[in-house]
């Protein structure tokens, strides 16, 4: 099925993203996770930290690659020769924004398809933004984020480094 591009902020990656990536990696020959370089979003983790953590999570998956990009998504897709963009669709609330983006990307590059995948139901209410807020306020969500992310969030907010 060729190469697919899975773009996003991934600040940080959650189990919802991981679920979609694992399933996409079974469908496509190669899936490249591409982290948007956008300092104006004031990210919690640097692009390098995010890339390192995603690489750690997928170190056993030889068809999952990790990179970062700036500029137009469709230009990056062409540059890495990906013919498909994958986006996760959690709830109706995602639809409007995703619909606009998919149609605009298709207008810019009709040869690149956007494919939507739904995460498993237990991750349908999950977002990086809520994860950050919960850890910042003293909570934790070890079932909803990979272990490396749970550790990094604890370290970021409470300075706890676990061995
Ligand atoms: O995880 P996110 O923040 O919802 O991902 C959004 C992302 C990275 C897919 C989107 O912001 C994007 O594609 N940015 C690149 C700039 C671009 O191509 N903009 C036009 C989109 S129609």
């Amino acid at each position: 099925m060729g190469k697919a591009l899975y773009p996003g902020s991934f600040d940080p990656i959650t189990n919802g993203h991981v679920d979609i990536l694992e399933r996409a990696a079974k469908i496509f020959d190669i899936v490249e996770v591409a982290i948007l370089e956008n300092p104006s979003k004031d990210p919690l983790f640097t692009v390098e930290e995010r890339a390192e953590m995603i690489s750690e999570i997928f170190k056993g998956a030889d068809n999952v690659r990790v990179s970062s990009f700036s500029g137009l998504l469709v230009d990056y897709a062409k540059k890495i020769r990906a013919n498909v963009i994958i986006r996760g669709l959690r709830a109706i609330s995602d639809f409007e924004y995703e619909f606009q983006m998919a149609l605009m990307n298709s207008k810019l590059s009709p040869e690149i398809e956007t494919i939507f995948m739904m995460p498993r139901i237990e991750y349908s209410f999950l977002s990086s933004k809520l994860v950050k807020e919960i850890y910042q306020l003293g909570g934790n969500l070890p079932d909803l984020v990979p272990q490396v992310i749970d550790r990094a969030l604890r370290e970021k907010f409470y300075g706890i480094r676990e061995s």
Side-chain angles (χ1 to χ4, degrees), residues 54-138:
I54 299 170
S55 301
E56 168 70 22
I57 296 161
F58 285 92
K59 64 175 180 236
D62 52 11
N63 67 337
V64 176
R65 314 246 162 98
V66 184
S67 66
S68 63
F69 76 105
S70 55
L72 282 179
L73 179 61
V74 288
D75 287 344
Y76 188 65
K78 279 186 240 170
K79 187 174 162 204
I80 65 160
R81 296 177 179 279
N83 46 2
V84 169
I85 292 168
I86 294 172
R87 291 287 291 167
L89 209 50
R90 287 164 301 191
I92 311 268
S93 52
D94 280 342
F95 185 76
E96 182 89 33
Y97 170 60
E98 295 297 336
F99 187 65
Q100 272 184 351
M101 249 192 343
L103 290 179
M104 199 54 97
N105 282 333
S106 163
K107 167 92 186 144
L108 292 169
S109 282
E111 70 280 12
I112 298 171
E113 285 296 340
T114 298
I115 291 185
F116 293 104
M117 293 181 68
M118 261 95 62
R120 281 176 21 204
I121 195 157
E122 58 266 43
Y123 305 136
S124 294
F125 54 90
L126 183 56
S127 72
S128 301
K129 185 168 174 269
L130 275 185
V131 166
K132 281 184 281 195
E133 189 173 311
I134 287 163
Y135 276 84
Q136 186 173 20
L137 297 174

Side-chain angles (χ1 to χ4, degrees), residues 2-7 20-34 61-66 80 84 86:
K3 187 172 188 178
L5 173 60
Y6 183 40
I20 284 177
L21 250 168
E22 283 174 348
R23 285 160 43 214
K26 289 185 191 150
I27 300 171
F28 295 94
D29 296 323
I30 296 172
V31 182
E32 183 155 332
V33 185
D62 52 11
N63 67 337
V64 176
R65 314 246 162 98
V66 184
I80 65 160
V84 169
I86 294 172

Side-chain angles (χ1 to χ4, degrees), residues 11-12 41-47 49-50 53 128 131-133 135-136 152-153 156-157:
D11 186 39
K41 268 195 168 181
D42 197 19
L44 179 64
F45 294 103
T46 65
V47 168
E49 286 173 321
R50 282 176 269 166
M53 292 187 288
S128 301
V131 166
K132 281 184 281 195
E133 189 173 311
Y135 276 84
Q136 186 173 20
L153 286 165
K156 203 56 121 183
F157 290 121

